Amino acid sequence: MRFSIFHNLGAPGRLGEYADVMAEAREFAVTADRAGFWSTWYTEHHFGHEAIEITPNPVLMGADIAARTTDIRIGQAASIATFWHPLRLAEDIAMLDQLSGGRVEVGLGRGLYGREALNLNALADPRDQEQNRALYDETVEVLRKAWSGEFFSHQGRFYEFPAPGVKWNHPLSPATPEYTEAGVITKMQVTPFPLQRPHPPLWQVIDSPRSIRAAAADGVQGLFWLPPVSALKERFELYRDTASRAAGREYALGEGIGLVRDVYVADTMEQARAEFEEALMTTYRWIMHWRGLGNLMEAGEELTDAHELSFDFLQRRNLLVGTPEYVSEKIAELRDEVGLEHLLLWTTHPGLPHRNAMRSLELFAEKVMPQFTTGGGHG
């Protein structure tokens, strides 16, 4: 089993101490690298004056972490593809792959918050889901073309590359048929292209049946977070069945999937809850305001007014919070029930003291991870 870090920088009341928050994130990543974690993933959120989600650029964050680590892979969970110009995103990720020595895992998402989308790319407005999906799909299409290393062109609903009518005539760059016709640019090439060929592995944050089918059919790996085990099983089976048909081979249950879980390890169950509950609930109160509790229902369970968000409600459903023994049991359940191969730990919830996050990470690495890995975690 692979173990990774999911890191959404959150520090309420500490925007003026952002350099210190960054230093803590670096220490967390360097420690995870030394402990044998497989990868570390950074989020993309904008305009977060509340300081609950304050990483506007996971690619730039990844470059900083890559420069300070040796083996750990660098992911985005996720780069919000609909917010980016596709050629800029292609260039930046290719640069990160080159800078990191080929350690990039490309995580992509469609975007959730209107205040982000409408101030970055109005076409990504999440209130128009069909347009948002179409924009996402076209952006990914452009990314793949750009990373090919070949001259390419693209004509779609939202983008046309290269821009039509641009003439080219330079003695050091002859107007060859590879990319011009009658002295006009008709194809283009993004440089550099990624170190990993044909491109770094692709992941998408998914949950709905439609998104699961689309990612699996396209050979894109999936990232999940919220659902309890019984509801995850249906999603994992749908991904497996769709991917198997698309690839013409049998996928194992859990193959191609990463699962984010809220993880906190302490010496006693009581200590784990006392230290983690406030920070954890800050995240859930923030996100569930938009998402609601529907994704936290068990298989076959209907959401009712009786369901209320609380630590006890979550602990029964999707938390890995407690002693090393308890957390190990919950991971074993995920492995046995849904074939989980890749677990991403989310410990750094907003407001959790850095020393507590570091202690949990150390306990996990020392007392939990060795039960599920052999020969180190970087494989």
Side-chain angles (χ1 to χ4, degrees):
M1 183 177 287
R2 288 173 170 168
F3 293 100
S4 296
I5 301 300
F6 174 88
H7 204 138
N8 183 2
L9 272 70
R14 298 183 64 197
L15 269 182
E17 305 170 17
Y18 198 72
D20 295 333
V21 175
M22 290 288 295
E24 293 169 0
R26 292 179 184 121
E27 183 182 11
F28 202 82
V30 168
T31 301
D33 182 41
R34 292 172 179 166
F37 281 80
W38 186 71
S39 60
T40 182
W41 303 69
Y42 298 96
T43 59
E44 177 178 349
H45 285 290
H46 300 269
F47 321 125
H49 66 269
E50 306 87 357
I52 294 175
E53 297 171 316
I54 48 176
T55 313
N57 190 324
V59 179
L60 191 58
M61 182 75 190
D64 181 273
I65 298 302
R68 301 167 191 274
T69 55
T70 303
D71 298 305
I72 200 165
R73 296 184 65 78
I74 309 295
Q76 307 91 45
S79 285
I80 306 305
T82 56
F83 295 174
W84 289 71
H85 188 287
L87 298 182
R88 172 63 76 185
L89 184 57
E91 289 177 337
D92 285 2
I93 288 178
M95 278 289 292
L96 178 58
D97 201 44
Q98 293 286 345
L99 289 168
S100 66
R103 285 191 277 150
V104 168
E105 301 285 319
V106 180
L108 301 171
R110 295 192 296 115
L112 173 65
Y113 303 149
R115 77 170 178 185
E116 297 182 350
L118 291 170
N119 288 291
L120 291 168
N121 183 1
L123 295 172
D125 187 344
R127 295 172 298 185
D128 187 340
Q129 280 290 296
E130 290 306 311
Q131 178 168 287
N132 180 285
R133 288 179 183 275
L135 177 62
Y136 175 86
D137 291 343
E138 186 171 337
T139 300
V140 175
E141 181 183 351
V142 174
L143 291 177
R144 284 176 155 149
K145 289 179 177 180
W147 288 331
S148 70
E150 306 294 332
F151 286 100
F152 74 94
S153 62
H154 175 83
Q155 286 187 312
R157 172 180 169 184
F158 303 101
Y159 298 108
E160 181 178 0
F161 303 122
V166 177
K167 295 182 179 180
W168 188 252
N169 180 21
H170 195 290
L172 297 183
S173 178
T176 65
E178 276 187 307
Y179 69 102
T180 64
E181 291 181 12
V184 174
I185 296 175
T186 56
K187 292 187 178 181
M188 62 189 302
Q189 186 181 62
V190 166
T191 57
F193 44 82
L195 184 60
Q196 298 178 85
R197 307 303 300 142
H199 54 72
L202 291 178
W203 300 76
Q204 183 181 352
V205 178
I206 54 177
D207 183 75
S208 70
R210 180 175 175 178
S211 293
I212 293 168
R213 290 190 186 96
D218 202 26
V220 176
Q221 298 170 98
L223 291 172
F224 293 86
W225 171 34
L226 289 170
V229 173
S230 64
L232 277 179
K233 192 166 187 178
E234 298 173 343
R235 291 164 168 84
F236 278 40
E237 288 172 345
L238 177 59
Y239 184 95
R240 176 199 61 194
D241 295 345
T242 306
S244 296
R245 288 193 297 272
R249 68 170 180 85
E250 286 300 314
Y251 267 59
L253 188 65
E255 181 181 352
I257 292 173
L259 175 66
V260 177
R261 277 296 194 243
D262 310 294
V263 178
Y264 192 81
V265 186
D267 293 324
T268 68
M269 296 294 291
E270 295 76 15
Q271 180 188 0
R273 177 169 183 168
E275 293 178 353
F276 196 51
E277 181 173 3
E278 181 179 355
L280 175 80
M281 294 310 297
T282 295
T283 289
Y284 273 85
R285 292 188 185 106
W286 175 258
I287 293 177
M288 294 306 126
H289 174 81
W290 286 282
R291 288 181 179 268
L293 300 181
N295 281 10
L296 290 161
M297 296 298 102
E298 300 281 357
E301 182 183 15
E302 294 292 331
L303 177 63
T304 70
D305 292 339
H307 290 103
E308 293 184 1
L309 181 63
S310 69
F311 183 90
D312 290 324
F313 171 84
L314 295 171
Q315 179 76 326
R316 295 190 300 270
R317 294 167 185 268
N318 69 352
L319 302 185
L320 276 63
V321 178
T323 62
E325 294 76 20
Y326 177 83
V327 171
S328 297
E329 289 174 4
K330 301 301 285 186
I331 294 173
E333 178 188 17
L334 287 164
R335 179 197 61 198
D336 297 342
E337 292 295 322
V338 299
L340 185 66
E341 297 180 354
H342 186 188
L343 178 67
L344 288 74
L345 285 64
W346 188 359
T347 297
T348 51
H349 283 272
L352 182 70
H354 178 60
R355 65 181 181 279
N356 291 359
M358 290 297 296
R359 179 58 180 155
S360 174
L361 180 67
E362 291 162 1
L363 281 171
F364 188 94
E366 293 170 4
K367 298 189 176 183
V368 178
M369 197 157 69
Q371 300 181 51
F372 301 93
T373 58
T374 56
H378 285 304

